[in-house]
Amino acid sequence: MSLRAVIDGVESREKTLTVFDPPSSAVVDELAEYFASQRVTVREGSATVGPEGFAVLSEGDDVLTAVDLASLTMPVRHDVGERTAFSALLEHLDRTTFASYDVGQMLAASREIEDRAWRSKKGTLRAGFQRVEALEAQSEVYRRLGGTELDVHVYVASGDSIAEIDGVTPHIVDSAEIANSWFVAYDGGDVASDKCALLAEERGDRRFYGFWTYDSSIVDAILDYLGTQYAAAS
């Protein structure tokens, strides 16, 4: 288990939406753009049997659902009308997004999770900082978080000394994965639906490849790994 393994696991969960006999290739392009953040590959197919104009969502060799193409494209184009078939497809997609972010986008996504923890003021929040300067830049945010009932943990690569922040447990970690990763994970406190996490790996030129998720099992995996792997680091 590692943070990279979590990223690889989310990436491997990609599903495929096969659009059979669409009226035009533009429909396929629209759907590909719409579902890109859900790790859905959209492709065009031709049906030899069955009705015209339908789409099949699959994961590997498993067919998850099939929907009428008219019902599928309607909310994408107009955001109105009957959504029964569209909802049947969406229920098979979690809200995990997977993309490449720059530093500004990573900061914005991190703040969303920190704000959610701040509003709850309960539960556990774990955040990673590649450099001590990055933590220092966010020290006021974490001082406020540490002043609540939250159990706040911050992780910084070894070689740096961390100024004490009241209510925040520091972990100085001799680990390449901490030095190369950016993460913020919150367990939701008393509300399971509030669980959320951001996890990404720097892959050159200050761009980060990873995901944002509300999937409780993924959030739990990140939190459990950090809590266990680096429990002794301080």
Side-chain angles (χ1 to χ4, degrees), residues 4-223:
R4 165 68 72 83
V6 177
I7 292 174
D8 290 344
V10 171
E11 186 176 20
S12 69
R13 292 170 57 173
E14 184 174 278
K15 298 176 177 64
T16 299
L17 182 69
T18 304
V19 183
F20 291 95
D21 304 316
S24 70
S25 59
V27 171
V28 179
D29 292 340
E30 280 187 47
L31 291 169
E33 181 178 357
Y34 185 83
F35 287 111
S37 66
Q38 276 76 39
R39 296 294 296 161
V40 176
T41 294
V42 180
R43 66 185 185 188
E44 184 175 344
S46 180
T48 56
V49 295
E52 294 183 354
F54 68 99
V56 173
L57 182 70
S58 59
E59 184 172 10
D61 295 329
D62 298 326
V63 174
L64 302 177
T65 189
V67 297
D68 177 74
L69 185 57
S71 297
L72 176 60
T73 57
M74 184 160 45
V76 174
R77 292 178 172 181
H78 307 294
D79 198 30
V80 295
E82 177 59 46
R83 291 172 178 262
T84 303
F86 190 67
S87 299
L89 184 149
L90 287 180
E91 70 183 13
H92 293 281
L93 302 174
D94 62 28
R95 288 178 289 180
T96 299
T97 61
F98 203 99
S100 177
Y101 302 99
D102 60 25
V103 171
Q105 290 169 315
M106 291 294 294
L107 284 169
S110 297
R111 189 53 43 82
E112 288 295 323
I113 298 175
E114 293 159 353
D115 284 348
R116 177 170 290 206
W118 165 254
R119 290 192 298 270
S120 174
K121 297 179 172 60
K122 295 180 180 180
T124 298
L125 178 74
R126 299 183 185 274
F129 297 87
Q130 296 174 294
R131 297 171 292 105
V132 69
E133 292 82 6
L135 175 57
E136 290 173 345
Q138 302 298 319
S139 60
E140 184 56 34
V141 172
Y142 278 81
R143 187 170 292 109
R144 292 178 63 202
L145 291 167
T148 70
E149 295 181 17
L150 283 162
D151 182 19
V152 182
H153 296 256
V154 295
Y155 301 78
V156 179
S158 64
D160 297 314
S161 59
I162 303 175
E164 182 177 345
I165 302 176
D166 289 343
V168 175
T169 302
H171 301 269
I172 301 175
V173 180
D174 184 12
S175 169
E177 73 172 355
I178 297 298
N180 294 329
S181 300
W182 184 324
F183 58 86
V184 185
Y186 175 52
D187 72 353
D190 297 332
V191 182
S193 60
D194 279 350
K195 291 184 179 185
C196 52
L198 170 71
L199 172 59
E201 180 181 64
E202 185 176 2
R203 296 188 179 177
D205 202 24
R206 297 300 286 163
R207 292 201 65 85
F208 295 84
Y209 191 67
F211 61 88
W212 162 286
T213 187
Y214 295 93
D215 185 311
S216 61
S217 65
I218 299 174
V219 176
D220 287 344
I222 296 170
L223 290 167

